[in-house]
Amino acid sequence: MSDWTNILETRGLTMQFGGVTAVDEVDFTLRDGELRCLLGPNGAGKSTFFKCLTGQLIPTRGTVTFKGQDMTGWNTHDIVNLGIGIKTQMPNVFDGVSVYENVRLSSRRKHMAAQAKELAEKTLERCGITHLAKREVGYLSHGQRQLVELAMVLAAEPALILLDEPAAGMTGEERDRLARLVLESARSAAVIVVEHDMVFIRQIAKFVTVFNRGAIFREAMIDEIMADREVQEIYLGKQANAASA
Amino acid sequence: MEKSVLRDPGFYVMVAIGLAAMLILPVVLDMFTIMQITQYVVLAVFALSLGYIWGFGGILSFGQAAFFGLGAYTFAVAAINIGETTIPLILAFAIPCLFGAALGYFIFYGRLSDVYLGVVTMVVTLLFWKLANHTAGPEYAIGAARLGGFNGIPSIPVMNIPGEPEAMLDPVQMFQVFMGFLIVVYIVLRLLIASDFGRVSIGIRENETRASLLGYDVRRHKLVVFAIGSGIAGLAGAMWATYQAFIDPNAFSMEMSAKALVWVMAGGVGTLVGPIIGVILLQWLTLKLGTMELLNSLAVLGAIMMVLVLALPKGIVPTLRKLIVDGWTLARRKKTGGKADE
Ligand SMILES: Nc1ncnc2c1ncn2[C@@H]1O[C@H](COP(=O)(O)OP(=O)(O)OP(=O)(O)O)[C@@H](O)[C@H]1O
Ligand SMILES: [Mg+2]
């Protein structure tokens, strides 16, 4: 494979839905092993950006390069098999089967049965859901389902982890565990986290990208972002709009 | 579904019941009844083909009869030409299986939505039915076999022992061989469903997006499941053809597809026993109610289906299973004082 320093690069990435430009000429760069937080008001295009990265949506224009490999327009499973794992905003899990089987189906992708079993059990343990192993996922709370999906992502041992609002619906305790897990995972993989929960963001964030109206609005360290008047305004503006609507 | 098949007592019970029926029924029942039951056995194989793709692959086909009919015609034409039935039987599995793979390629790789899958399978069935009806003239013959249009193909050879075309099966032997087929299909499907391949299919049924986000090729997987189901439906068609010694375009009828849907729905989607029980129960009911000559048997079937959907939306087997499991947990909880959750 060609030499690369940035695990992920997008150039001019654009996604249009009819007249709506959800992602607008995004040049995004992520170094290997980096942990990045992606912020932005509702509708900023964060989830759509993730979908373009994973082939769930085919971008209207632009390119996505992973480990030096241009994979624009590839099928989702081929992209994922290069080493990308995603926790989607609305959990995508296998409702009708057990928590253990959900995670095992992930670890089994790359491992023989025995190792897959071991890895699945280890990952359940890491995510603190071993006690739920036999439960059917469809009956769990939103926060628990988030953890199951996270375990599925981790069990695939991806080189790039995308997490879309992983803390939503979690109790304080679950959220703290999640923060630890994210930091721990970031030691062996590059991670992008989308989140609105500021308590959570403060626990994990270093370098931050802020999206607004589909485009990159700011990129800076978290403290600088938090102090940025214009960033506050786009968040508040959206909230004011929402309140008046 | 997650424990190993070989450790599931239900699996052995089912196989034992099947073997017992195969050996004991011919002793205790008269020939006429055995021939009646043979019909159920054939239809049970057909129902299993749909029960598998729908319940364990999430593929809802409205045209399972296309493969049933294709298998029946393949068998008829091949048996008439070859003069024995073993190779025709294999062809009756292989050709619908290949056709299912081709159709599946078009459907799944073309990313047709579930609604279109229903429409396409239905249209294909109609096309076959039309085609088969239009082959009345003598010019429509494949080798020695005249297709016969709406008149169908008569004098289809009765099944013979492999390698001995003269050794044709009598009705009791045919019943036993067909029971053997049913048992083998059941066992193979159970093993397949419990295999890693089958577990991925179940994952795809539960959530296609997640399956592909884990790196599984959903299209290829569905294609394989669909093709296997098509092959089994074709096998059932062949059994039907040799059982009746006759086949006509009605093998391709919408009624045939609809019945399969009703059997599976009534018995329970997501089980294999369900479709078999669905066949037995509904065929028996339509037979009984039909002989009363009060009502059209299709109307009866429709009414039964409505009652079932309202009373047992999950189907007979899942409902019974839940009753038994709930009863069992309740009993255990009483005994252990409320610690039966683990
Ligand atoms: N499939 C779609 N068809 C049409 N418009 C879409 C589609 N998906 C997203 N959009 C639009 O694209 C824009 C960006 O949506 P997206 O979900 O990416 O925002 P987001 O930043 O993830 O927001 P949130 O924080 O609320 O999750 C929104 O205006 C949304 O309405
Ligand atoms: Mg979003």
Side-chain angles (χ1 to χ4, degrees), chain B residues 19-36:
Chain B
L19 287 172
M22 175 174 152
L23 298 174
I24 296 169
L25 290 186
V27 183
V28 296
L29 295 175
D30 60 274
M31 175 97 90
F32 177 76
T33 316
I34 286 294
M35 287 173 71
Q36 281 286 313

Side-chain angles (χ1 to χ4, degrees), chain A residues 43 45-48 89 164-165 194 196:
Chain A
K46 306 176 297 290
S47 300
T48 307
Q89 184 166 351
D164 198 346
E165 306 200 12
V194 168
H196 288 297

Side-chain angles (χ1 to χ4, degrees), chain A residues 138-224:
Chain A
Y139 293 111
L140 301 180
S141 75
H142 187 62
Q144 289 171 326
R145 287 156 59 85
Q146 299 267 55
L147 280 173
V148 172
E149 202 185 16
L150 182 71
M152 292 169 88
V153 172
L154 296 181
E157 303 172 311
L160 172 61
I161 301 173
L162 309 174
L163 303 174
D164 198 346
E165 306 200 12
M170 285 196 175
T171 63
E173 194 185 323
E174 283 168 340
R175 195 188 52 205
D176 292 346
R177 175 183 278 278
L178 176 69
R180 267 181 279 130
L181 268 172
V182 169
L183 291 171
E184 189 186 304
S185 309
R187 277 190 246 130
S188 56
V191 185
I192 308 177
V193 185
V194 168
E195 222 357 296
H196 288 297
D197 185 331
M198 276 304 155
V199 183
F200 179 73
I201 292 290
R202 280 179 192 284
Q203 282 177 287
I204 60 165
K206 292 187 202 77
F207 198 69
V208 176
T209 297
V210 181
F211 262 42
N212 189 35
R213 296 165 184 259
I216 294 181
F217 182 75
R218 275 288 186 284
E219 293 198 299
M221 299 304 287
I222 180 72
D223 295 330
E224 206 177 313

Side-chain angles (χ1 to χ4, degrees), chain B residues 277-291:
Chain B
I277 291 183
V279 168
I280 297 171
L281 205 71
L282 290 179
Q283 282 301 99
W284 179 77
L285 267 177
T286 25
L287 188 74
K288 286 290 154 201
L289 296 172
T291 47

Side-chain angles (χ1 to χ4, degrees), chain A residues 1-229:
Chain A
M1 191 153 276
S2 62
D3 56 333
W4 47 273
T5 45
N6 296 323
I7 189 163
L8 181 74
E9 277 182 15
T10 74
R11 289 292 167 261
L13 193 69
T14 302
M15 184 73 224
Q16 287 170 330
F17 299 107
V20 180
T21 306
V23 175
D24 193 1
E25 298 287 336
V26 169
D27 296 335
F28 180 89
T29 305
L30 188 75
R31 277 180 294 107
D32 195 17
E34 187 183 344
L35 167 60
R36 180 79 61 93
C37 285
L38 187 56
L39 306 184
N42 294 114
K46 306 176 297 290
S47 300
T48 307
F49 178 63
F50 272 10
K51 283 183 185 160
C52 290
L53 299 183
T54 49
Q56 291 169 273
L57 290 172
I58 308 290
T60 316
R61 274 195 306 281
T63 57
V64 183
T65 311
F66 178 70
K67 292 187 176 177
Q69 165 96 56
D70 183 348
M71 50 169 209
T72 320
W74 286 24
N75 288 312
T76 296
H77 60 265
D78 292 324
I79 292 175
V80 164
N81 285 331
L82 288 180
I84 299 182
I86 179 169
K87 199 213 80 58
T88 50
Q89 184 166 351
M90 289 308 292
N92 271 303
V93 286
F94 303 128
D95 273 334
V97 295
S98 72
V99 169
Y100 169 74
E101 179 67 6
N102 267 265
V103 180
R104 199 197 62 93
L105 275 172
S106 174
S107 58
R108 183 69 178 88
R109 184 75 193 96
K110 281 195 300 190
H111 295 281
M112 300 303 289
Q115 286 127 293
K117 179 171 185 287
E118 204 173 299
L119 181 56
E121 283 165 0
K122 209 180 75 194
T123 311
L124 286 177
E125 182 81 52
R126 257 178 89 190
C127 296
I129 48 175
T130 304
H131 63 290
L132 300 176
K134 287 184 183 162
R135 296 273 298 278
E136 212 175 294
V137 174
Y139 293 111
L140 301 180
S141 75
H142 187 62
Q144 289 171 326
R145 287 156 59 85
Q146 299 267 55
L147 280 173
V148 172
E149 202 185 16
L150 182 71
M152 292 169 88
V153 172
L154 296 181
E157 303 172 311
L160 172 61
I161 301 173
L162 309 174
L163 303 174
D164 198 346
E165 306 200 12
M170 285 196 175
T171 63
E173 194 185 323
E174 283 168 340
R175 195 188 52 205
D176 292 346
R177 175 183 278 278
L178 176 69
R180 267 181 279 130
L181 268 172
V182 169
L183 291 171
E184 189 186 304
S185 309
R187 277 190 246 130
S188 56
V191 185
I192 308 177
V193 185
V194 168
E195 222 357 296
H196 288 297
D197 185 331
M198 276 304 155
V199 183
F200 179 73
I201 292 290
R202 280 179 192 284
Q203 282 177 287
I204 60 165
K206 292 187 202 77
F207 198 69
V208 176
T209 297
V210 181
F211 262 42
N212 189 35
R213 296 165 184 259
I216 294 181
F217 182 75
R218 275 288 186 284
E219 293 198 299
M221 299 304 287
I222 180 72
D223 295 330
E224 206 177 313
I225 293 288
M226 299 300 280
D228 190 316
R229 287 300 298 261

